[in-house]
Amino acid sequence: MMNIHGQRPDTLASSDISSPEAISHVSYAKLPELGAAEMARGIKAGRWTSRELVEAHVARIRQIQPLIGAVAVPLFEEARRAAAEADRLTASGEPLGPLHGVPVSVKESLDAAGTPSTWGLAGRTAPSSQDDPAVAALRRAGAVVLAKTNAMQLLMGCETVNPVFGRTSSPWNPAGRSSGGSSGGEAALIAAGGSPLGLGTDVGGSIRTPAHFCGVHGLKPTPGRVASRPPAGIVHICREAAEMACTGPLARKVEDLALAMEVLAAPETLQAHPLQRPGETRPAELRIGYYTSDGILPPSPAVERAVLDAAEALRARGVTVKPFRLPEPALALQQFYALMSAAGAEGIAETAGTDALVPQVEGIRRSFGRSRTANRMLALILRGAGQKIAGTHIVPCLGRKTRAELGQAVELRQAYREKFAAEMERQQVDVLLSPPFLTPAIPHDHSLAMTYEGSYALLYNYLGMPAGVVSLSQVRDREAAVMRVVRSRDRLVRAAAQADPNSAGLPVGVQVAASPWREDRVLAVMDMLEKLFRDRPDYPPGKLAAALLPIAGN
């Protein structure tokens, strides 16, 4: 493992840490527990300085980094200079931005001027000349970028591991469980108190899966809501698939997601699609539908129970809540894979160059590179061997597509989006609750066996709908005591069940989705659920990734 920035992030020098005594007039140990909005309010009120916040988080990162490997590129000296300038502006009485002086983190794949964006490839060493538009928006709001966080190689997978920065683990069980992917470093760092707010990206669950695995909140906005720029040299995802991707925030508090969206929303979208504040949307006036299975593979007991608990909690507060029947979820699943594989193995090879691929990505490269004839034959073999999910929903859809085929796929996607919107209206629902993922945090490298993650997260990328994950609960002992009884021969069904044993205590989230451009509805329901669950003893964000990673200090 190497650090492009020139210093191994898991062996940060002690000189990077200022003494807690230097800022003893505040509770040094408690600063990383605050939310981003709280930090901004405290800076403006004079309760603490940006420098104090930065130093407290640098200390926290040094403590947790050897355990979870969340930071890819530490930017501590740059952050100290930015914090000093922020404190100067605070003292000057000049107008302050909404995130003035607040330390934040960003996913390694997002450009930050002066640092490379490797995507987990050792050969991508050239530093970026400018910030990604979302990173630039955070800086304009006064945020101090503290670090870039680890991501899955090529952002392809539900774990976070690559040859450049190594593996990121769940703070809840670093030795045994994954942080999720591809924004796993971001979720793990926020969960462990190394950052209050960060940026991830999401084309098939890459914000929501890590949020669910690590016990934080995350929001995938409507594509186009947050400005983005095509990354240089990244060609393994075709334009039609990239249209399903977006940049969005992760945090431990829903109010921080809402604040981040006010900062991140692209001005050109606001005129046609105003961004309402969550307080302007009353959850009690919304009609909420829920489902616990995509009809292809049901989730773990704890994941299903969390959705039902959320639905019941809302119903008890007078909200209209009803079951929702998904229209043709298999079509969305199949067409998502068709689009994601459209550049074929050649696209992955061109992006990677001579760099080695981790086993997870190498397996994807091979599957994307098979000919149609080979895929048809393999699908028949798989179905005959009882591997129904792969043989029916995945393998037949994979492989390079012609321009004509891509055009047809885009037309089919638009037709499905219209059908889904009509179905929401027919069933009279405004917001949907569902599982974010099949299971709690999976064991390390388990994605090599569990190659199907369910349509739960990717559905909303395919639909172009905003969707968030609100972390609400933990796996209970009885839910993790024994593996689910599985009578299927399908290895994907069995692999999902194998993630349940020994999962007690892991966080569990609930996905919340709404119609395109209605991030306010998503955030309003997430906010209400946060308020309903945050005083419960098993509420994950209130634990700062549990006592496994205690904060040292006063």
Side-chain angles (χ1 to χ4, degrees):
M1 181 177 72
M2 72 177 198
N3 181 346
I4 295 293
H5 207 56
Q7 181 183 28
R8 282 177 56 119
D10 59 344
T11 56
L12 302 174
S14 59
S15 60
D16 281 328
I17 309 302
S18 290
S19 167
E21 287 74 19
I23 53 175
S24 58
H25 64 283
V26 297
S27 177
Y28 182 82
K30 294 294 185 182
L31 286 177
E33 297 182 16
L34 301 172
E38 291 176 293
M39 292 180 190
R41 290 192 292 266
I43 288 174
K44 293 173 183 177
R47 290 194 293 273
W48 43 73
T49 66
S50 178
R51 172 184 170 272
E52 290 167 346
L53 290 170
V54 166
E55 295 299 345
H57 284 87
V58 169
R60 180 63 171 158
I61 289 172
R62 183 171 181 263
Q63 180 190 20
I64 62 179
Q65 178 67 9
L67 296 171
I68 62 174
V71 171
V73 183
L75 299 171
F76 300 158
E77 291 307 316
E78 296 91 331
R80 286 174 173 133
R81 290 193 292 270
E85 175 60 16
D87 291 336
R88 185 194 69 77
L89 287 173
T90 303
S92 73
E94 296 183 30
L96 305 179
L99 287 171
H100 179 79
V102 176
V104 300
S105 46
V106 300
K107 188 174 182 177
E108 196 272 344
S109 60
L110 293 168
D111 289 344
T115 70
S117 299
T118 71
W119 291 58
L121 301 171
R124 289 176 57 88
T125 58
S128 303
S129 60
Q130 57 185 324
D131 287 337
D132 176 89
V135 177
L138 288 180
R139 292 199 209 266
R140 286 195 301 271
V144 174
V145 179
L146 188 61
K148 296 186 76 176
T149 53
N150 201 18
M152 182 66 184
Q153 189 179 45
L154 300 189
L155 314 190
M156 301 182 80
C158 61
E159 299 189 62
T160 290
V161 60
N162 64 72
V164 183
F165 303 113
R167 182 187 301 279
T168 300
S169 302
S170 166
W172 296 82
N173 183 350
R177 298 282 170 157
S178 169
S179 63
S182 62
S183 309
E186 198 59 51
L189 187 68
I190 292 168
S195 171
L197 173 68
L199 289 180
T201 63
D202 191 317
V203 73
S206 288
I207 287 172
R208 291 159 290 155
T209 298
H212 166 61
F213 279 18
C214 292
V216 299
H217 310 319
L219 176 66
K220 178 202 83 69
T222 308
R225 174 66 85 182
V226 178
S228 63
R229 183 174 57 244
I234 300 299
V235 297
H236 61 286
I237 300 178
C238 69
R239 176 179 57 82
E240 291 79 2
E243 290 171 351
M244 300 187 291
C246 56
T247 301
L250 297 96
R252 294 187 302 273
K253 300 193 176 185
V254 175
E255 76 163 330
D256 293 342
L257 298 182
L259 176 59
M261 285 307 302
E262 293 180 16
V263 167
L264 295 170
E268 57 268 26
T269 71
L270 293 176
Q271 185 173 1
H273 308 287
L275 182 67
Q276 299 183 44
R277 295 180 62 87
E280 298 170 350
T281 302
R282 293 175 55 84
E285 297 174 356
L286 297 174
R287 303 165 300 178
I288 297 179
Y290 71 91
Y291 58 95
T292 60
S293 175
D294 63 1
I296 300 168
L297 180 55
S300 296
V303 176
E304 179 178 6
R305 186 257 309 161
V307 174
L308 296 174
D309 283 354
E312 182 54 37
L314 291 170
R315 185 183 289 112
R317 290 303 179 100
V319 180
T320 299
V321 182
K322 63 181 75 174
F324 181 78
R325 183 178 177 85
L326 281 172
E328 294 187 80
L331 184 148
L333 174 67
Q334 293 160 7
Q335 289 302 306
F336 176 87
Y337 281 114
L339 286 167
M340 289 300 294
S341 65
E346 299 92 334
I348 294 176
E350 186 175 347
T351 295
T354 60
D355 278 301
L357 299 176
V358 295
Q360 289 89 338
V361 180
E362 174 58 28
I364 293 171
R365 186 197 66 78
R366 289 196 304 268
S367 68
F368 283 12
R370 285 190 296 263
S371 69
R372 290 186 184 179
T373 300
N375 273 332
R376 284 196 293 267
M377 292 179 62
L378 179 58
L380 286 171
I381 293 170
L382 288 170
R383 290 196 295 270
Q387 310 306 309
K388 180 180 178 181
I389 294 173
T392 302
H393 301 300
I394 301 176
V395 171
C397 309
L398 300 179
R400 193 173 184 88
K401 309 295 186 298
T402 66
R403 294 310 309 174
E405 289 169 334
L406 279 171
Q408 293 169 357
V410 170
E411 291 177 3
L412 183 60
R413 181 173 64 189
Q414 181 58 33
Y416 183 74
R417 289 177 175 182
E418 293 171 3
K419 178 176 182 176
F420 198 95
E423 193 62 22
M424 287 182 66
E425 184 58 34
R426 188 187 72 80
Q427 297 189 45
Q428 297 186 321
V429 300
D430 305 303
V431 176
L432 293 168
L433 305 181
S434 68
F437 193 86
L438 282 170
T439 68
I442 61 174
H444 292 308
D445 293 325
H446 197 61
S447 63
L448 291 168
M450 205 175 86
T451 52
Y452 168 70
E453 305 162 15
S455 66
Y456 301 102
L458 63 84
L459 173 66
Y460 296 110
N461 296 90
Y462 189 71
L463 288 167
M465 293 168 58
V469 163
V470 56
S471 185
L472 295 181
S473 186
Q474 294 173 258
V475 181
R476 296 171 181 168
D477 289 340
R478 65 178 180 273
E479 294 167 334
V482 295
M483 188 170 69
R484 282 179 280 168
V485 176
V486 175
R487 296 181 175 86
S488 172
R489 290 188 294 159
D490 197 312
R491 69 180 185 88
L492 298 182
V493 177
R494 301 186 70 85
Q498 289 164 1
D500 291 341
N502 304 310
S503 63
L506 292 177
V508 181
V510 171
Q511 184 169 220
V512 183
S515 301
W517 310 109
R518 296 311 305 261
E519 288 86 0
D520 63 299
R521 289 179 170 176
V522 174
L523 289 167
V525 174
M526 291 176 69
D527 180 68
M528 188 172 188
L529 288 170
E530 179 184 54
K531 289 180 170 65
L532 291 173
F533 282 80
R534 66 186 176 190
D535 293 329
R536 300 189 183 191
D538 62 345
Y539 177 70
K543 298 176 183 297
L544 210 57
L548 291 172
L549 300 174
I551 294 179
N554 296 335

